[in-house]
Amino acid sequence: MNKVPNNKAWWLVLPMFLLVAFSAIIPLMTVVNYSLQDIFDQNTAYFVGVEWYQETLRNTRLHDSLLRQFGFSFSVLLIEIPLGIVVALMMPTRGWQASAVLILLALPLLIPWNVVGTIWQVFARGDIGLFGWTLNNLGIDYNYTSNPLDAWLTVLLMDVWHWTSLVALLCYSGLRAIPDAYYQAAKIDRASPWAVFRYIQLPRLRNVLVIGVLLRFMDSFMIYTEPFVLTGGGPGTSTTFLSQTLTQMAIGQFDIGPAAAFSLVYFLIVLLVSWLFFTTITHMEKSDNGNKHDK
Amino acid sequence: MATITLKSLAHSYLAQPRNPQTHPQDYAIQALDHVWKQGGAYALLGPSGCGKSTLLNIISGLLSPSQGEVLFDDQVVNALSPEQRNIAQVFQFPVVYDAMTVAENLAFPLKNIKMPKAQIKIKVREIADLLELTDSLDKKAKNLSADQKQKVSMARGLVREDVSAILFDEPLTVIDPNLKWKLRRKLKQIHEQLNITMLYVTHDQLEAATFADEIALMYQGKIVQFGSPQELFERPNHSFVGYFIGSPGMNFIPIKKSEEGKKNEKDKGRVFYQNISLAISGSQQAALKSCHSTNLKLGIRPEFIELSETYEANSFPASVLSVQHLGSYQLVVVDFAGLEMQVRVAEKMQFSGAGVYLVFPSQWLKLYIDEYLVGEPVLVNKGDYKSENHE
């Protein structure tokens, strides 16, 4: 048989290539381009090499912001994941109650970020906000506009309120996928409720929890709107997270070059941490699948 | 260890079932009375959807019956949970705890009853040896093949010795035939060793017959016959038993008391299929005399029909439709005056033509009125089964 070389099919890749180019590659390369220059105005720009990167890595304002960011993201995960699991375990499984609870849980997820910020901005005020007023009247000195810890806790609470539902819904779907026979067998084997959770439910939730952890980490690592609406990053810099520092740099101070370098570093950090999570979890799974004799 | 008694048990999956007398279709189990004696090996046999799994779940306590009582010895256990009833149950599809090793799986029920560790170890080893799982004790349960998983599942059911009963819900469905045979024999051995009541649900008559001493055959939510495999085969109490047991099932000939339009003195002691008259026994005649039903059938098993190519006294002509060679015997499908009947004959028998003659030996010709067996001579010393219509 005569094989005719014909590579015209490669043209079919072109639309996809163009789409990806416009949506990702070109914008990203623009940022890379900015990060290598010192830009004064539209017509004045100097090539500065990796200077902005060096500065970014040495900038203490960014270091503080990064630490604050990690502290926040890990707190979010530490609270939302266990809480989401507990909520999912307590949700009714059938009847109208199940639908009602599902809808109630989904509601916070439908609210836009800045609206969540505004709701809490009012809700937590000491004078007219129910939450702040109640706390103050209980004798707790709470004021998110002046106390850095109060502000930080309020942002955390806001995120927990907004996003725990997501983890709970994911876990709920994971729990529903466990066949009844497992619960029946556990009953027959006289397993305690804790044993049922530890040996039946938790192992089967692992896959949805991977998704939950990744989503919540990435989202909380990019948090911007809520603290911005609540206190504008204050008091001081107590709730100024990475994205807000970046915005201040790029738009407030018009430091396009350093901001571009910083945003690329930011992007790499998110990528790195997500990759770490992912490989750790898949590695756990692998060693689980592996025969104990193999080790 | 306990004798399990079911008292006028009924169960419906509907929230508001109607009266069981007028709407039996609402019920998965209907007015059931039964006793499973302590230490017996029983099979609960029936087609899919006859209520056998429902019955099993009621006994184990996973389901609560709509009506009636379940007794373990003299104690009513309706309100007790499976763990309080102390039941072991093996399910149709393997249930293993994925995150644990095989050894941990087997130890799980023992750990839950707080048995000392050293004792658990001995017990796990023992049961693993019994089911040939010793080599995979350290493997994660989720990496096992389906049949090995089911073995683990079964081992978990067998590992506790103090249980009231062990219930099996079609446990060998996922296992390949060769191993099935072995496991069934294993179960039987275990039963002999441990003297625990075992109840085995299946839809496979061969499985039931090899495992159990006595079989309860269920049909439409009722136990239609309870007896040894031989009794079920030779004296099917209900036409469904005849149809379901044996391969192939019983042949049924619809009959009438007298030939249409004629009343003849010499027809006494005979019944009619179309214009063919068949002789029946004295007790069958007596049963027939007092009934007004038109749902009358004669049943005979394919094994008991005698087939020959020559005419004898009391034989009936039939024509051969097809012959299947099944190794140790051949199955002949014949046309008996418009009725298709199956006959089992020896493999060595040869046919030269399509015309054959059938003989129906009278001791194997059973009479069914409204689907129930009647007119059998009463057996002595067989307490457990009634030959009379009990409806």
Side-chain angles (χ1 to χ4, degrees), chain A residues 182 188-190 204 288-289, chain B residues 83 97-98 112 143 156:
Chain A
Y182 280 82
I188 298 280
D189 290 339
R190 303 172 153 210
R204 298 212 153 213
D288 229 41
N289 284 331
Chain B
E83 54 264 43
Y97 304 120
D98 292 343
N112 291 332
N143 300 326
R156 253 197 0 257

Side-chain angles (χ1 to χ4, degrees), chain B residues 213-254:
Chain B
D213 307 325
E214 280 174 298
I215 298 174
L217 201 137
M218 276 191 87
Y219 177 57
Q220 293 182 340
K222 293 179 204 160
I223 293 180
V224 285
Q225 188 166 7
F226 180 65
S228 69
Q230 194 194 353
E231 283 169 355
L232 261 64
F233 184 76
E234 290 182 356
R235 290 176 50 134
N237 226 345
H238 185 279
S239 63
F240 180 77
V241 182
Y243 156 81
F244 195 72
I245 301 278
S247 82
M250 212 174 210
N251 296 301
F252 289 100
I253 309 168

Side-chain angles (χ1 to χ4, degrees), chain B residues 75-106:
Chain B
Q75 192 196 2
V76 178
V77 295
N78 276 32
L80 300 186
S81 61
E83 54 264 43
Q84 288 166 317
R85 294 185 194 191
N86 203 6
I87 280 272
Q89 187 170 1
V90 179
F91 299 91
Q92 182 172 8
F93 294 101
V95 178
V96 296
Y97 304 120
D98 292 343
M100 302 187 207
T101 63
V102 171
E104 285 165 344
N105 257 284
L106 302 195

Side-chain angles (χ1 to χ4, degrees), chain B residues 92-143:
Chain B
Q92 182 172 8
F93 294 101
V95 178
V96 296
Y97 304 120
D98 292 343
M100 302 187 207
T101 63
V102 171
E104 285 165 344
N105 257 284
L106 302 195
F108 192 61
L110 301 177
K111 232 169 75 185
N112 291 332
I113 55 168
K114 309 249 158 29
M115 192 186 255
K117 270 210 174 103
Q119 219 177 322
I120 292 183
K121 215 166 171 185
I122 297 169
K123 194 74 221 180
V124 165
R125 179 56 52 163
E126 204 183 296
I127 214 81
D129 282 345
L130 203 60
L131 285 170
E132 294 166 18
L133 283 167
T134 317
D135 293 337
S136 32
L137 273 179
D138 290 331
K139 279 190 194 157
K140 279 273 180 198
K142 87 194 239 195
N143 300 326

Side-chain angles (χ1 to χ4, degrees), chain A residues 3-257:
Chain A
K3 208 174 168 186
V4 185
N6 186 346
N7 286 330
K8 278 188 194 133
W10 280 106
W11 289 108
L12 295 175
V13 181
L14 191 67
M16 195 60 213
F17 178 77
L18 284 175
L19 199 73
V20 173
F22 279 103
S23 73
I25 299 173
I26 293 173
L28 192 69
M29 285 306 125
T30 322
V31 177
V32 171
N33 181 30
Y34 289 161
S35 73
L36 301 172
Q37 301 181 60
D38 193 356
I39 299 163
F40 292 100
D41 58 45
Q42 263 179 331
N43 305 316
T44 332
Y46 300 98
F47 182 76
V48 293
V50 293
E51 201 186 309
W52 295 137
Y53 289 94
Q54 287 170 340
E55 205 191 288
T56 300
L57 295 179
R58 269 190 248 115
N59 188 340
T60 51
R61 186 175 147 216
L62 296 182
H63 290 174
D64 292 348
S65 190
L66 181 69
L67 276 180
R68 224 174 284 134
Q69 185 69 71
F70 271 120
F72 179 73
S73 287
F74 283 116
S75 307
V76 160
L77 290 183
L78 277 180
I79 297 172
E80 287 181 13
I81 300 295
L83 190 61
I85 294 173
V86 170
V87 170
L89 286 173
M90 295 192 313
M91 281 166 70
T93 54
R94 48 177 71 84
W96 65 269
Q97 295 99 328
S99 323
V101 170
L102 279 176
I103 291 169
L104 276 178
L105 274 180
L107 276 179
L109 300 175
L110 300 175
I111 302 175
W113 290 261
N114 57 344
V115 176
V116 172
T118 314
I119 290 174
W120 280 81
Q121 213 256 0
V122 176
F123 186 50
R125 277 176 67 153
D127 50 359
I128 56 166
L130 183 65
F131 180 66
W133 183 84
T134 311
L135 280 184
N136 283 332
N137 276 282
L138 285 172
I140 300 161
D141 181 28
Y142 168 84
N143 186 349
Y144 68 85
T145 54
S146 63
N147 187 333
L149 183 67
D150 287 354
W152 191 82
L153 286 175
T154 309
V155 176
L156 188 63
L157 193 61
M158 200 154 61
D159 199 88
V160 169
W161 178 82
H162 198 179
W163 291 110
T164 302
S165 298
L166 179 76
V167 182
L169 291 178
L170 280 172
C171 290
Y172 183 74
S173 72
L175 287 174
R176 293 287 77 74
I178 301 173
D180 262 355
Y182 280 82
Y183 295 114
Q184 294 182 338
K187 248 191 221 169
I188 298 280
D189 290 339
R190 303 172 153 210
S192 62
W194 167 251
V196 171
F197 174 70
R198 172 66 189 78
Y199 297 111
I200 297 173
Q201 293 172 323
L202 196 59
R204 298 212 153 213
L205 282 182
R206 179 148 64 196
N207 289 334
V208 291
L209 282 178
V210 171
I211 298 169
V213 167
L214 278 179
L215 279 179
R216 282 320 300 135
F217 172 76
M218 289 190 297
D219 263 4
S220 66
F221 210 75
M222 296 186 288
I223 189 169
Y224 175 76
T225 323
E226 294 99 320
F228 183 75
V229 173
L230 191 73
T231 59
T237 54
S238 60
T239 56
T240 310
F241 298 113
L242 278 177
S243 58
Q244 202 180 335
T245 314
L246 179 65
T247 321
Q248 279 168 6
M249 250 166 134
I251 297 162
Q253 298 157 230
F254 206 70
D255 284 339
I256 302 281

Side-chain angles (χ1 to χ4, degrees), chain B residues 131-133 147-155 179 183:
Chain B
L131 285 170
E132 294 166 18
L133 283 167
D147 52 355
Q148 280 209 309
K149 277 186 183 169
Q150 187 63 335
K151 278 213 267 181
V152 171
S153 225
M154 278 167 79
L179 194 63
L183 280 179

